[in-house]
Amino acid sequence: MNCPVRKGGSLLRDILLLIKKDLTVEARARYAMTAAVSFALCAVFMESVSLGGVQSSSKMHSAILWLTIFFATIQIVSHIFIREGEEGTEMILRVRFLPRDIFVSKFICSLVLVIPVAASAAVGYLFFFSVTVKSPAVFSLLMLSGLCAIAGASTLPAMLASRARGKGSLAALLAIPSVLPALIVLVRGTSNTISLTGVAFSDVIFLTAYGL
Protein backbone atom coordinates (compact mmCIF):
# COMPACT_ATOMS: atom_id res chain seq x y z
CA MET A 1 0.00 0.00 0.00
CA ASN A 2 1.49 3.29 -1.09
CA CYS A 3 1.55 6.16 1.38
CA PRO A 4 0.57 9.54 -0.06
CA VAL A 5 3.53 11.87 -0.08
CA ARG A 6 3.40 15.58 -0.71
CA LYS A 7 6.60 17.39 -1.57
CA GLY A 8 7.32 20.77 -2.99
CA GLY A 9 4.44 22.76 -1.56
CA SER A 10 4.53 26.45 -0.84
CA LEU A 11 8.10 27.41 0.08
CA LEU A 12 7.14 30.03 2.65
CA ARG A 13 4.36 27.93 4.22
CA ASP A 14 6.55 24.85 4.62
CA ILE A 15 9.47 26.82 6.05
CA LEU A 16 7.24 28.64 8.55
CA LEU A 17 5.67 25.33 9.56
CA LEU A 18 9.08 23.78 10.24
CA ILE A 19 10.29 26.84 12.13
CA LYS A 20 7.17 26.83 14.30
CA LYS A 21 7.64 23.14 15.04
CA ASP A 22 11.31 23.52 16.01
CA LEU A 23 10.79 26.62 18.16
CA THR A 24 7.82 25.00 19.93
CA VAL A 25 9.88 21.90 20.76
CA GLU A 26 12.83 23.96 21.99
CA ALA A 27 10.57 26.24 24.05
CA ARG A 28 9.10 23.22 25.82
CA ALA A 29 12.38 21.42 26.48
CA ARG A 30 14.73 24.42 26.87
CA TYR A 31 17.62 22.00 27.29
CA ALA A 32 19.78 23.32 24.47
CA MET A 33 19.18 26.97 25.35
CA THR A 34 19.94 26.47 29.05
CA ALA A 35 23.08 24.48 28.32
CA ALA A 36 24.35 27.00 25.74
CA VAL A 37 23.71 30.05 27.95
CA SER A 38 25.33 28.34 30.94
CA PHE A 39 28.34 27.38 28.84
CA ALA A 40 28.73 30.91 27.43
CA LEU A 41 28.54 32.63 30.82
CA CYS A 42 30.80 30.11 32.57
CA ALA A 43 33.35 30.24 29.74
CA VAL A 44 33.51 34.05 29.77
CA PHE A 45 33.77 34.10 33.57
CA MET A 46 36.57 31.51 33.69
CA GLU A 47 38.45 33.30 30.91
CA SER A 48 38.21 36.59 32.80
CA VAL A 49 39.50 34.92 35.99
CA SER A 50 42.39 33.25 34.20
CA LEU A 51 43.39 36.55 32.57
CA GLY A 52 42.82 38.63 35.69
CA GLY A 53 45.43 41.36 36.06
CA VAL A 54 46.92 40.68 32.63
CA GLN A 55 46.93 43.52 30.12
CA SER A 56 45.08 42.20 27.08
CA SER A 57 44.61 43.78 23.70
CA SER A 58 41.20 44.46 22.20
CA LYS A 59 41.85 41.74 19.62
CA MET A 60 42.38 39.16 22.36
CA HIS A 61 39.15 40.24 24.05
CA SER A 62 37.32 39.97 20.73
CA ALA A 63 38.76 36.53 19.98
CA ILE A 64 37.67 35.25 23.39
CA LEU A 65 34.14 36.56 22.85
CA TRP A 66 33.64 35.09 19.39
CA LEU A 67 35.21 31.73 20.16
CA THR A 68 32.83 31.42 23.09
CA ILE A 69 29.86 32.38 20.91
CA PHE A 70 30.97 29.95 18.19
CA PHE A 71 31.12 26.93 20.48
CA ALA A 72 27.81 27.89 22.12
CA THR A 73 26.27 28.25 18.66
CA ILE A 74 27.49 24.88 17.44
CA GLN A 75 25.88 23.27 20.50
CA ILE A 76 22.49 24.64 19.50
CA VAL A 77 22.80 24.01 15.77
CA SER A 78 23.98 20.42 16.19
CA HIS A 79 21.31 19.76 18.83
CA ILE A 80 18.55 20.77 16.41
CA PHE A 81 19.65 18.13 13.89
CA ILE A 82 20.56 15.43 16.43
CA ARG A 83 17.15 15.78 18.10
CA GLU A 84 15.39 14.83 14.86
CA GLY A 85 17.31 11.56 14.75
CA GLU A 86 16.79 10.79 18.44
CA GLU A 87 13.05 11.44 18.25
CA GLY A 88 12.64 9.45 15.04
CA THR A 89 11.24 12.38 13.05
CA GLU A 90 14.09 12.64 10.55
CA MET A 91 12.52 10.28 8.01
CA ILE A 92 9.17 12.05 8.28
CA LEU A 93 10.81 15.37 7.43
CA ARG A 94 12.65 13.86 4.47
CA VAL A 95 9.42 12.42 3.09
CA ARG A 96 7.18 15.38 3.80
CA PHE A 97 9.45 18.34 2.97
CA LEU A 98 12.05 19.28 0.40
CA PRO A 99 15.71 19.41 1.56
CA ARG A 100 15.70 23.11 0.69
CA ASP A 101 12.86 23.79 3.12
CA ILE A 102 14.50 21.80 5.91
CA PHE A 103 17.86 23.51 5.48
CA VAL A 104 16.43 27.05 5.41
CA SER A 105 14.16 26.42 8.39
CA LYS A 106 16.98 24.94 10.48
CA PHE A 107 19.18 27.92 9.66
CA ILE A 108 16.51 30.45 10.67
CA CYS A 109 15.63 28.50 13.81
CA SER A 110 19.30 28.29 14.79
CA LEU A 111 19.70 32.03 14.27
CA VAL A 112 16.66 32.81 16.44
CA LEU A 113 17.88 30.55 19.25
CA VAL A 114 21.46 31.81 19.09
CA ILE A 115 20.58 35.50 19.52
CA PRO A 116 19.74 35.30 23.28
CA VAL A 117 22.78 33.06 23.85
CA ALA A 118 25.09 35.53 22.13
CA ALA A 119 23.47 38.42 24.00
CA SER A 120 24.18 36.65 27.31
CA ALA A 121 27.79 36.02 26.26
CA ALA A 122 28.24 39.65 25.18
CA VAL A 123 26.81 41.03 28.43
CA GLY A 124 28.99 38.68 30.48
CA TYR A 125 32.00 39.61 28.36
CA LEU A 126 31.47 43.35 28.84
CA PHE A 127 30.87 42.90 32.57
CA PHE A 128 33.61 40.43 33.53
CA PHE A 129 36.29 42.00 31.33
CA SER A 130 35.21 45.58 32.15
CA VAL A 131 35.24 46.41 28.45
CA THR A 132 33.68 49.64 27.20
CA VAL A 133 32.28 49.62 23.69
CA LYS A 134 32.75 52.99 22.06
CA SER A 135 30.07 52.38 19.43
CA PRO A 136 27.20 50.24 20.81
CA ALA A 137 25.06 50.57 17.66
CA VAL A 138 27.83 49.32 15.39
CA PHE A 139 28.70 46.62 17.92
CA SER A 140 25.09 45.36 17.88
CA LEU A 141 24.98 45.41 14.08
CA LEU A 142 28.24 43.50 13.92
CA MET A 143 26.91 40.97 16.42
CA LEU A 144 23.78 40.30 14.35
CA SER A 145 25.66 39.93 11.08
CA GLY A 146 28.25 37.75 12.84
CA LEU A 147 25.58 35.44 14.22
CA CYS A 148 24.10 35.18 10.74
CA ALA A 149 27.49 34.16 9.36
CA ILE A 150 28.25 31.63 12.11
CA ALA A 151 24.77 30.06 12.06
CA GLY A 152 24.79 29.85 8.27
CA ALA A 153 28.28 28.35 8.07
CA SER A 154 27.54 25.85 10.88
CA THR A 155 24.23 24.50 9.60
CA LEU A 156 25.60 22.20 6.88
CA PRO A 157 28.45 20.77 9.05
CA ALA A 158 25.96 20.13 11.85
CA MET A 159 23.63 18.35 9.43
CA LEU A 160 26.49 16.14 8.20
CA ALA A 161 27.70 15.42 11.75
CA SER A 162 24.22 14.35 12.84
CA ARG A 163 24.55 11.36 10.48
CA ALA A 164 27.71 10.17 12.25
CA ARG A 165 28.41 8.92 15.75
CA GLY A 166 30.58 11.92 16.54
CA LYS A 167 27.50 14.12 16.91
CA GLY A 168 28.20 17.52 18.49
CA SER A 169 31.98 17.17 18.79
CA LEU A 170 32.26 16.26 15.11
CA ALA A 171 30.04 19.20 14.17
CA ALA A 172 32.47 21.62 15.81
CA LEU A 173 35.44 20.11 13.95
CA LEU A 174 33.63 20.23 10.61
CA ALA A 175 32.41 23.78 11.16
CA ILE A 176 35.77 25.36 12.03
CA PRO A 177 37.09 25.61 8.43
CA SER A 178 33.85 27.13 7.13
CA VAL A 179 33.46 29.54 10.07
CA LEU A 180 37.10 30.63 10.24
CA PRO A 181 36.89 33.44 7.61
CA ALA A 182 33.89 34.93 9.42
CA LEU A 183 35.65 34.69 12.79
CA ILE A 184 38.68 36.56 11.45
CA VAL A 185 36.48 39.40 10.19
CA LEU A 186 34.48 39.43 13.44
CA VAL A 187 37.55 39.64 15.66
CA ARG A 188 38.91 42.54 13.62
CA GLY A 189 35.56 44.37 13.53
CA THR A 190 34.80 43.86 17.23
CA SER A 191 38.30 45.03 18.14
CA ASN A 192 37.69 48.19 16.13
CA THR A 193 34.41 48.92 17.94
CA ILE A 194 36.26 48.66 21.25
CA SER A 195 39.22 50.80 20.25
CA LEU A 196 37.11 53.17 18.13
CA THR A 197 39.40 52.90 15.12
CA GLY A 198 36.43 52.61 12.80
CA VAL A 199 34.40 49.70 11.45
CA ALA A 200 34.07 49.08 7.75
CA PHE A 201 30.44 48.41 6.88
CA SER A 202 31.77 46.19 4.12
CA ASP A 203 32.53 43.73 6.96
CA VAL A 204 28.86 43.73 7.97
CA ILE A 205 27.80 43.17 4.36
CA PHE A 206 30.37 40.38 3.96
CA LEU A 207 29.24 38.61 7.15
CA THR A 208 25.56 38.80 6.22
CA ALA A 209 26.22 37.53 2.71
CA TYR A 210 28.52 34.80 4.10
CA GLY A 211 25.77 33.49 6.32
CA LEU A 212 23.13 33.58 3.61
Side-chain angles (χ1 to χ4, degrees), residues 185-197:
V185 175
L186 283 167
V187 169
R188 181 186 63 195
T190 306
S191 174
N192 291 339
T193 62
I194 296 174
S195 59
L196 199 59
T197 56

Side-chain angles (χ1 to χ4, degrees), residues 52-108:
V54 178
Q55 292 293 332
S56 303
S57 65
S58 58
K59 284 190 176 181
M60 179 180 290
H61 285 159
S62 303
I64 290 173
L65 172 63
W66 283 108
L67 284 175
T68 302
I69 292 177
F70 164 68
F71 284 108
T73 298
I74 203 66
Q75 283 186 20
I76 292 180
V77 178
S78 60
H79 168 76
I80 292 175
F81 284 100
I82 293 172
R83 174 175 48 78
E84 300 290 358
E86 292 177 345
E87 295 179 354
T89 57
E90 181 180 359
M91 185 58 65
I92 297 175
L93 291 180
R94 294 171 63 183
V95 172
R96 172 65 176 78
F97 299 98
L98 290 172
R100 168 201 63 191
D101 303 337
I102 298 174
F103 182 85
V104 174
S105 66
K106 296 299 184 186
F107 162 66
I108 297 175

